Amino acid sequence: MSDLIVYGNDFNFMPLPKLTEFEIDIFMQIISELNENRELELFFMDLAYEIWTKKHQSAKETLENFYKLADKLLSFKVKYSVKNRHYAFICFEKLELIDEDPDPRIKIKAQEDFYELITNLQMGFTKFELKEFMSLSGKYTKTLYRLLKQFRNTGLLKIDWSEFCKIMNIPESYKQADIDKRILNPAIKELSAEQNLFTNEKKTIFKNLTYKKIKDPKGRGRGGKVIGIEFYFTPEPKRDELKEMIQNLARTEQEMEKNSGREPKIHILTGEEVTELTPYISRHFQLQNKEFGGYDTCKIKDLKYIDKDSKKMIWGLMLNQENYKEFEMFFDSIAHMKNALKLD
């Protein structure tokens, strides 16, 4: 399983289905595997082993819990609007459990739009360690952790109260005092807990983490209507992480060329061999639509060096995100590709 979870920031503001703590851990492990392929085949115990041992469940109980999760995920829908367009789609097309001894397997297929939402990092992304996420207790703490990680470099999260309640899946019956006592205070306590200096078991995830509810200024008295909430914590050092990832991959490629006889370097997120083409995979570009006019948004799905007509060329597999059709392109060099696709 991947050690890191990396996904586009839009995912943080999608209300998840009402999942248990067990189900959230399984779900996020699936998300961590959705890097370069929206169809996965995983060994079930690789997916569930740590949860199985932590919860002290039997293998049968773990499988039964997965069946419940499968029902929820197959009915998991996303709805959102951008300008004059409104979108609605399911997130998973298939979850199949192949219950064969001794190694049951799971086949998972993400819906194309959902896959794009997870893997498109161009507009910002959230990154954190899977083990750290799974070590947290409680579904509310885990959800707040994801939200705060997006703002790790600013130390400030401001959000509308109704949207916050929706994302956190807070029951409508909860009063403000209930939310403080059952959700916010326990989550803040765990996420800002100090490191155990004797066992070094846990580091402080968000230092000096606090929150403040924002009330309607037009309201009267201390019991005014809550319209927003703000979280404050010590930010991590600010870095252009996407740029760093690309630069690190480029440096890795240069080292590989100098040490061609050594083992190849492996991309930490995808597990694939790193080449000088790797930083350009998943980049977006505009392509003129000769039939209807205007420009379509396209994505680079894969790039490889090939021999074509006795000449070394770059082969690219592209995806038109307007009609979801794949097509091929060929380039003489990286410079040719960057110029043709107008990549920075």
Side-chain angles (χ1 to χ4, degrees), residues 5 7-16 27-28 31 76 78 91 114 117-118 126 128 146-147 150 167:
I5 298 181
Y7 55 77
N9 282 338
D10 286 347
F11 176 67
N12 283 328
F13 294 92
M14 286 172 39
L16 299 181
F27 177 65
M28 293 308 297
I31 296 299
F76 179 27
V78 171
C91 294
F114 181 64
L117 184 147
I118 294 296
T126 299
F128 52 83
R146 290 195 298 108
L147 278 175
Q150 177 176 336
I167 293 169

Side-chain angles (χ1 to χ4, degrees), residues 79-96:
K79 295 180 180 179
Y80 68 96
S81 300
V82 179
K83 294 183 179 179
N84 61 341
R85 293 190 178 187
H86 305 277
Y87 300 87
F89 51 82
I90 60 171
C91 294
F92 293 94
E93 296 179 7
K94 179 178 73 173
L95 278 89
E96 177 185 355

Side-chain angles (χ1 to χ4, degrees), residues 72-300:
K72 293 179 182 180
L73 294 187
L74 289 174
S75 60
F76 179 27
K77 299 176 182 177
V78 171
K79 295 180 180 179
Y80 68 96
S81 300
V82 179
K83 294 183 179 179
N84 61 341
R85 293 190 178 187
H86 305 277
Y87 300 87
F89 51 82
I90 60 171
C91 294
F92 293 94
E93 296 179 7
K94 179 178 73 173
L95 278 89
E96 177 185 355
L97 177 61
I98 305 171
D99 192 2
E100 295 178 346
D101 289 331
D103 296 312
R105 290 171 291 123
I106 297 173
K107 288 186 177 182
I108 302 166
K109 185 175 183 180
Q111 195 266 0
E112 186 75 35
D113 294 295
F114 181 64
Y115 176 71
E116 170 63 20
L117 184 147
I118 294 296
T119 59
N120 185 356
L121 310 182
Q122 300 300 309
M123 300 305 291
F125 61 92
T126 299
K127 179 178 73 173
F128 52 83
E129 296 178 6
L130 179 60
K131 285 188 176 180
E132 183 175 75
F133 176 84
M134 292 177 62
S135 72
L136 300 172
S137 60
K139 58 184 182 180
Y140 296 119
T141 301
K142 291 175 184 289
T143 302
L144 182 58
Y145 170 92
R146 290 195 298 108
L147 278 175
L148 295 178
K149 273 293 181 178
Q150 177 176 336
F151 300 91
R152 60 197 176 279
N153 297 135
T154 64
L156 173 63
L157 164 61
K158 296 182 178 181
I159 187 170
D160 179 80
W161 180 251
S162 61
E163 184 178 12
F164 177 72
C165 292
K166 188 177 180 181
I167 293 169
M168 295 285 289
N169 271 319
I170 297 176
E172 293 183 3
S173 60
Y174 275 23
K175 297 179 180 179
Q176 290 294 335
D178 296 325
I179 295 173
D180 290 339
K181 182 179 180 180
R182 300 185 184 185
I183 297 174
L184 290 173
N185 292 340
I188 295 292
K189 182 178 180 180
E190 181 170 5
L191 293 175
S192 60
E194 293 186 0
Q195 184 178 15
N196 187 322
L197 298 178
F198 295 99
T199 63
N200 200 31
E201 288 178 351
K202 192 173 183 179
K203 64 181 180 180
T204 304
I205 301 175
F206 299 104
K207 295 180 181 179
N208 304 311
L209 177 61
T210 59
Y211 73 93
K212 180 175 74 173
K213 292 179 181 177
I214 308 301
K215 295 185 177 181
D216 188 344
K218 298 178 181 179
R220 295 182 178 179
R222 297 177 59 187
K225 182 180 178 182
V226 175
I227 59 173
I229 187 168
E230 297 178 356
F231 293 89
Y232 313 91
F233 57 94
T234 302
E236 298 176 11
K238 193 169 184 179
R239 296 147 45 199
D240 187 339
E241 293 180 296
L242 185 58
K243 184 177 180 180
E244 285 182 14
M245 290 166 65
I246 293 174
Q247 290 175 340
N248 289 338
L249 290 172
R251 282 196 294 268
T252 301
E253 171 58 23
Q254 292 174 359
E255 292 175 4
M256 289 171 59
E257 290 180 354
K258 294 178 182 178
N259 304 283
S260 57
R262 299 182 182 180
E263 292 185 4
K265 298 292 184 181
I266 302 300
H267 193 307
I268 192 172
L269 302 182
T270 66
E272 300 290 336
E273 182 178 345
V274 173
T275 75
E276 61 184 337
L277 300 175
T278 303
Y280 300 98
I281 296 174
S282 294
R283 296 284 298 274
H284 291 74
F285 62 94
Q286 300 290 314
L287 189 67
Q288 187 173 13
N289 189 319
K290 296 181 181 179
E291 184 177 358
F292 300 105
Y295 289 84
D296 292 346
T297 299
C298 301
K299 176 181 178 179
I300 302 174

Side-chain angles (χ1 to χ4, degrees), residues 23 40 68 76 205 216 231 292 294 301 317 333 339:
E23 292 168 340
L40 305 173
K68 296 176 183 177
F76 179 27
I205 301 175
D216 188 344
F231 293 89
F292 300 105
K301 293 194 68 176
L317 178 63
S333 63
N339 184 55

